[in-house]
Amino acid sequence: MDWSFRSDQPIYSQLVQQIRLAIISGTYSPGQRLMSVRDMAAEAGVNPNTMQRALQDLEREGMVCSQRTTGRFVTEDPTVIEQAKTKYAEEQIRVFFETMRKLGYPREAILALLKEEEGKHADT
């Protein structure tokens, strides 16, 4: 996985976001065993405690589950994954609209731009 971090938010919350996105996008498959905390931390270039905290947050969300002797696994519950995907999409749309409004675009202009952009990508 390609890990990248910004300075505007805590590393552990960025880890949560990146792992969640990997799960909802299918990079990590339902039921897939995750690497150990130590291995994931080394790959991401972060402290193992930071990775542990991120994975605990994802466990509380139900995105991953622990099995004492065999490690952590991505949830196999399609409802949990679909709800997380919808929540992520809604957040992206909210941020987009907030940004466009800050740029001074009224609702109608935003929708017109979306429609125009959709036409450019009709084949994809």
Side-chain angles (χ1 to χ4, degrees):
M1 195 161 131
D2 183 30
W3 303 94
S4 59
F5 303 104
R6 302 177 318 277
S7 61
D8 64 339
Q9 113 186 73
I11 298 289
Y12 90 91
S13 63
Q14 293 180 66
L15 288 168
V16 169
Q17 291 169 358
Q18 290 180 38
I19 296 167
R20 185 186 303 117
L21 182 59
I23 292 169
I24 64 178
S25 69
T27 301
Y28 291 144
S29 303
Q32 180 177 341
R33 184 178 186 276
L34 298 175
M35 290 187 286
S36 72
V37 170
R38 227 173 255 299
D39 289 344
M40 285 182 81
E43 182 182 89
V46 300
N47 185 295
N49 293 330
T50 305
M51 183 61 75
Q52 176 70 17
R53 182 176 177 190
L55 290 169
Q56 285 173 337
D57 279 7
L58 289 164
E59 275 189 59
R60 279 190 287 277
E61 291 178 16
M63 296 295 293
V64 300
C65 57
S66 274
Q67 295 180 3
R68 282 195 188 264
T69 57
T70 53
R72 281 192 173 93
F73 294 82
V74 173
T75 183
E76 293 185 73
D77 186 342
T79 304
V80 170
I81 294 171
E82 195 56 40
Q83 287 173 342
K85 185 183 274 190
T86 299
K87 184 176 177 181
Y88 180 81
E90 289 169 348
E91 176 65 16
Q92 294 302 305
I93 291 166
R94 185 188 61 73
V95 168
F96 169 75
F97 273 97
E98 283 177 8
T99 302
M100 296 302 285
R101 286 186 188 111
K102 286 178 185 175
L103 292 172
Y105 283 92
R107 182 179 185 276
E108 298 75 26
I110 296 170
L111 295 174
L113 285 170
L114 284 171
K115 193 167 194 78
E116 179 182 325
E117 200 58 34
E118 179 189 32
K120 293 178 186 176
H121 302 280
D123 299 344
T124 56

